[in-house]
């Protein structure tokens, strides 16, 4: 018998007997990519919006502020809608994992099943307490009702953690042994808690809080630009924008940690991200550019920049794409530009946070309102743009994670081609999914707009003045 333990540098490659056509493979990748890109935005709101809602409710109860309490109630209603929509899109993704990628799930389901099972438990906990939280708003004392929201935040964050652990395993497969082509000696905990889990999960959870915060702040920034300068809209802007500004510098530090992780564990992905074709020292950091036959062209180079970032020394050796056959190279231009876009947006959001800090400091010294100062209109315009920009950074980050792993679906073990369903007709599934997601998008926007205007459900007793506070 031949036992092969999976370890970096000694990956046995699993190849299935049949493979899909190029058209079906492209359709499967497009369907999975589109579904994930759509779901990840809703999932981020499911992680971050409950925390923002609890913060607004806590401040409202503490200060006995009706505007903050109304804000929390409306965010809670939106939270319920997004949870339902996220459950639908998440269910579609779970079916797609089995239908589109039977080579992956059939071979490795027993290895990566644990995080999906734990995510299901977290989902049900979140659903139970969300129901209690929404139903018991006027039936429990304020502080007790506030406590009912805490498990929602914990369970939502846990769901993100478990799902990203499964994705991290695809980047760093652990927890099993291959014996004559069969999976034996499965250790689900070792698989879930693989080396990629810490940087990926922390990076994703912080991204969820950033996207939720800046998207929410953008809505109220637009309202403020339209002249709605009441306490309700100012609080709706200030709370999420402050949270996003606080999280952003931590996210940049974690992003640097994640990039250094790639240098040690996935050097080919880092080489694709930075367009490093040949292994060497004194490697420049290239911003922009297009992949050519021998390297990036037309980019802005910072001499020794990448070597310095990776090892804090200009003579640090950085592994290049020449360490693997060209057939195993990711799409360099796509990965490189996605990474640059993500980093660029991150520093744009950091600059906005610094602007907020400076404006707050000047306001504390001279008095007056934060949004009454000169230049506040420009700040509001930039924050309105920051919401969509945070989504762009999120999607770019996942593009780097997934496209940078190509052509592998499980790094060094199984290729995407060998995991896809070999049955014909996958293109029909892609068109069906596009229609379903288009309908869900229209329905979600319609319901959220009605909730924002206070016309979807009857007003609660504390919302007698609901018409005073239309959102946009």
């Amino acid at each position: 018998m031949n036992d092969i333990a999976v370890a970096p540098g000694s990956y046995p490659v699993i190849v299935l007997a049949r493979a899909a056509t190029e058209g079906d493979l492209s359709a499967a990748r497009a369907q999975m990519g589109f579904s994930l890109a759509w779901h990840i935005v809703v999932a981020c709101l499911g992680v971050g919006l409950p925390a923002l809602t609890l913060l607004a409710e806590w401040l409202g109860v503490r200060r006995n502020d009706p505007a903050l309490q109304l804000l929390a109630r409306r965010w809670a209603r939106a939270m319920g809608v997004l949870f339902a929509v996220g459950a639908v899109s998440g269910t579609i993704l779970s079916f797609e994992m089995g239908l589109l990628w039977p080579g992956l799930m059939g071979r490795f389901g027993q290895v990566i099943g644990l995080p999906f099972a734990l995510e299901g438990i977290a989902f049900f906990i979140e659903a139970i307490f969300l129901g209690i939280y929404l139903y018991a708003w006027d039936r429990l004392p304020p502080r007790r009702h506030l406590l009912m929201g805490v498990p929602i935040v914990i369970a939502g964050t846990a769901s993100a953690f478990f799902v990203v652990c499964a994705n991290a395993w695809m980047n760093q497969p652990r927890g099993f042994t291959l014996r004559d082509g069969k999976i034996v000696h499965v250790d689900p905990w070792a698989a879930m808690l693989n080396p990629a889990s810490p940087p990926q999960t922390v990076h994703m959870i912080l991204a969820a809080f950033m996207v939720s915060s800046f998207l929410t702040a953008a809505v109220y920034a637009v309202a403020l630009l339209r002249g709605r300068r009441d306490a309700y809209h100012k609080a709706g802007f200030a709370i999420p924008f402050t949270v996003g500004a606080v999280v952003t510098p931590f996210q940049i530090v974690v992003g640097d940690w994640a990039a250094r992780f790639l240098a040690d564990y996935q050097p080919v992905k880092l080489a694709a991200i930075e367009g490093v074709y040949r292994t060497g020292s004194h490697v420049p950091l290239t911003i922009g550019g297009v992949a050519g036959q021998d390297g990036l062209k037309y980019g802005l180079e910072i001499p020794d920049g990448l070597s310095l970032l990776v090892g804090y020394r200009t003579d640090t050796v950085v592994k290049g794409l020449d360490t693997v056959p060209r057939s195993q190279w990711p799409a360099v231009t796509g990965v490189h530009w996605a990474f640059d876009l993500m980093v660029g947006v991150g520093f744009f959001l950091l600059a906005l946070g610094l602007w907020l800090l400076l404006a707050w400091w000047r306001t504390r010294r001279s008095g007056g309102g934060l949004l009454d100062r000169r230049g506040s209109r420009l700040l509001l315009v930039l924050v309105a743009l920051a919401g969509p920009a945070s989504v762009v950074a999120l999607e770019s980050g996942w593009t780097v994670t997934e496209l940078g792993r190509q052509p592998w679906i499980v790094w060094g073990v199984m290729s995407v081609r060998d995991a896809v369903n070999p049955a014909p007709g996958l293109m029909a599934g892609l068109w069906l999914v596009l229609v379903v997601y288009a309908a869900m998008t229209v329905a979600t926007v319609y319901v959220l707009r009605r909730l924002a205007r206070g016309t979807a459900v009857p007003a609660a007793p504390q919302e007698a003045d609901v018409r005073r506070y239309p959102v946009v």
Side-chain angles (χ1 to χ4, degrees):
M1 302 295 285
N2 183 23
D3 290 2
I4 307 176
V6 176
S10 60
Y11 293 127
V13 178
I14 296 177
V15 181
L16 300 186
R18 295 181 297 166
T21 64
E22 287 294 335
D24 285 333
L25 176 60
S26 298
R29 295 179 66 180
Q31 180 178 337
M32 195 71 189
F34 180 82
S35 301
L36 181 60
W38 199 97
H39 174 75
I40 197 172
V41 178
V42 179
C44 284
L45 290 169
V47 174
L49 189 56
L52 295 175
T53 303
L54 285 190
L55 179 57
E57 185 182 4
W58 175 72
L59 290 172
V61 171
R62 183 181 179 187
R63 300 175 183 176
N64 194 25
D65 188 328
L68 286 170
Q69 293 177 20
L70 176 58
L71 190 68
R73 180 181 283 266
R74 284 183 170 172
W75 285 355
R77 289 171 177 170
M79 187 170 67
V81 173
L82 292 170
F83 179 84
V85 173
V88 174
S89 59
T91 301
I92 292 174
L93 275 172
S94 66
F95 277 103
E96 287 176 340
M97 288 292 290
L99 292 174
L100 297 179
W101 314 106
L104 171 68
M105 301 308 296
R107 180 72 62 141
F108 295 107
Q110 59 182 319
V111 182
I112 58 173
L114 177 62
F116 289 118
L118 294 176
E119 191 275 337
I121 295 173
F123 171 82
F124 283 114
I125 293 173
E126 184 180 6
I128 291 168
F129 279 94
L130 179 61
I132 295 172
Y133 185 77
L134 295 176
Y135 177 77
W137 198 289
D138 301 311
R139 295 170 173 82
L140 288 176
R143 295 185 183 277
R144 191 175 301 175
H145 178 264
L146 185 63
L147 289 175
M148 291 298 101
V150 174
I152 301 175
V153 178
I154 296 174
T157 304
S159 292
F161 173 82
F162 293 131
V163 169
V164 177
C165 279
N167 182 270
W169 175 86
M170 296 166 72
N171 289 304
Q172 288 296 304
R174 297 290 192 279
F176 65 96
T177 301
L178 282 175
R179 176 183 295 172
D180 295 336
K182 296 182 179 180
I183 304 297
V184 296
H185 300 160
V186 174
D187 185 349
W189 288 104
M192 186 177 78
L193 303 177
N194 60 82
S197 291
Q200 273 198 227
T201 53
V202 176
H203 200 41
M204 182 66 237
I205 291 169
L206 291 180
F209 282 102
M210 287 179 63
V211 169
S212 301
S213 298
F214 285 111
L215 271 181
T216 306
V219 173
Y220 291 91
V222 172
L224 290 167
L225 286 168
R226 293 179 175 179
R228 292 169 183 161
R229 297 296 181 104
D230 50 75
Y232 172 86
H233 289 93
K234 287 182 178 180
F237 168 80
I239 291 174
F241 184 36
T242 302
V243 172
V246 170
V247 172
T248 299
F250 293 99
Q251 178 69 310
I252 290 176
V253 173
V254 172
D256 180 70
W257 171 31
R260 294 180 193 282
F261 171 86
L262 295 180
D264 295 328
Y265 289 89
Q266 283 185 292
V268 174
K269 180 183 286 190
L270 180 64
I273 287 172
E274 301 295 352
V276 180
Y277 280 49
R278 287 176 291 276
T279 302
S281 61
H282 300 279
V283 179
L285 179 67
T286 306
I287 301 173
V290 178
Q293 287 296 320
D294 300 319
L296 290 176
K297 297 181 178 180
Y298 317 116
L300 174 63
E301 288 191 356
I302 301 175
D304 302 334
L306 184 59
S307 290
L308 187 62
L309 287 174
V310 170
Y312 304 108
R313 293 167 55 97
T314 58
D315 60 352
T316 301
V317 174
V318 179
K319 293 182 179 179
L321 292 168
D322 58 355
T323 58
V324 296
R326 187 173 283 267
S327 61
Q328 296 182 15
W329 289 19
V332 177
T333 299
V335 176
H336 177 66
W337 271 95
F339 184 80
D340 281 359
L341 187 59
M342 177 185 66
V343 172
V345 171
F347 279 98
F348 164 65
L349 299 178
L350 178 65
L352 285 182
L354 293 175
W355 188 339
L356 173 67
L357 178 63
L358 178 61
W360 174 83
W361 178 73
R362 293 179 64 184
T363 300
R364 293 271 294 180
R365 292 190 62 187
S366 60
L370 178 65
L371 296 177
D372 299 328
R373 300 192 61 84
R374 185 178 181 181
S376 63
R377 185 170 184 83
L378 177 58
L379 174 62
L380 291 173
V381 170
L382 292 177
V383 174
L385 296 175
S390 67
V391 175
V392 171
L394 173 73
E395 301 290 4
S396 298
W398 272 103
T399 299
V400 172
T401 300
E402 300 303 299
L403 193 60
R405 192 176 60 240
Q406 302 300 310
W408 307 104
I409 194 167
V410 181
W411 181 262
V413 177
M414 175 178 281
S415 70
V416 174
R417 178 176 296 279
D418 289 317
V420 72
N421 192 334
L426 297 184
M427 185 62 72
L430 171 61
W431 287 111
L432 177 61
V433 163
L434 291 176
V435 171
V436 169
Y437 276 101
M440 282 203 302
T441 301
V442 172
T444 302
V445 171
Y446 173 75
V447 173
L448 288 177
R449 288 187 63 83
R450 290 198 63 193
L451 286 174
R453 293 170 178 172
T455 59
V457 293
Q462 63 266 46
E463 295 180 275
D465 57 350
V466 66
R467 294 183 182 178
R468 291 176 52 196
Y469 298 126
V471 173
V472 177

